[in-house]
Amino acid sequence: PGPLDHISVSPDPASVAAGGTLLFTATAYDQYGNILAGVQFSWTADIGSVAGGLLTAQTSAGAGTVWATNGTVTGSAAVTIVPGPLDYILVAPNPATVRVGESLLFEATGYDQYGNAITGLGFTWTTDVGAVSDGLLTAQTVPGTGTVTVTSGSVSGSANITVQVGQLFQIILIPDPLDIAAGTPQMFFPLAYDVYGNSISGVGIVWATDVGTIDSAGLYLAQTVPGSGTVTATNGTVTGTASVNVIPGPLDHIIV
């Protein structure tokens, strides 16, 4: 064989898992493709460390090169560092809040032990607070807490979920109906519910009546003459109504 002309490095191209190892070999040739035996090589890489042709890949996914050099002649192989085996799964958003009966989309991403994202994984979704398909949660119709869980093989990840009461749908007043003596006080209590009948606490109420007076706490005072009307409790566009019948009070005096 003639003088060294070029060097071939194999495998080329190559793929190796993050943090993994792969052995490369180099072969020297003269200009006519004859193999030169006994040639020594100096190894370098920009995607990990290499000694004697054995590459120890970096822990982050990426692409680079392994070189084998003798004198002024260099050969190279293209290397792709791919994520390693699935180590853990993250589900987002986490934690999450959703109203009863509403939907929320979750996303799952799998990672190797070095935090490299893995694409193309198949996931199985489950939940204990509703129904979930392909990451889309439809929340149960009662408030509660639970999880959305995603599994790939033997690896699982989860997100914590709080299912809250829905928006105000109905206000019911107690008592309703009310027969009350003229000039008598009566406390009204508003009960607020969402569309699924879940009780909502802390709802602000604007009170009104056409058969007496009522204060901001719901304390009603009947007018002093008999008549029929209503007491209303309003929050935004939602109003609850109680029927009120003001009747004469106990005998107080007689006019002759």
Side-chain angles (χ1 to χ4, degrees), residues 13-123:
S15 179
V16 60
T21 59
L22 182 63
L23 181 63
F24 288 83
T25 59
T27 305
Y29 299 89
D30 67 11
Q31 62 177 322
Y32 302 107
N34 298 304
I35 296 175
L36 281 68
V39 176
Q40 300 297 310
F41 301 105
S42 175
W43 292 90
T44 55
D46 62 357
I47 34 77
S49 60
V50 60
L54 182 64
L55 171 71
T56 300
Q58 63 191 22
T59 57
S60 58
T65 309
V66 168
W67 293 278
T69 302
N70 181 282
T72 59
V73 181
T74 297
S76 64
V79 182
T80 300
I81 308 299
V82 298
L86 178 62
D87 185 67
Y88 61 96
I89 301 171
L90 295 182
V91 181
N94 182 32
T97 300
V98 61
R99 292 185 183 274
V100 290
E102 294 186 356
S103 297
L104 182 63
L105 182 63
F106 289 84
E107 294 183 351
T109 306
Y111 298 87
D112 67 12
Q113 62 177 321
Y114 302 109
N116 298 300
I118 304 172
T119 60
L121 293 173
F123 296 117

Side-chain angles (χ1 to χ4, degrees), residues 12 54 60 72 89 91 93 98 115 120 125-126 153 157 173 175 180 204 207 209 215 227 235:
D12 179 30
L54 182 64
S60 58
T72 59
I89 301 171
V91 181
V98 61
W125 294 85
T126 57
L173 296 185
I180 186 169
W207 293 94
T209 184
D215 67 13
N235 179 284

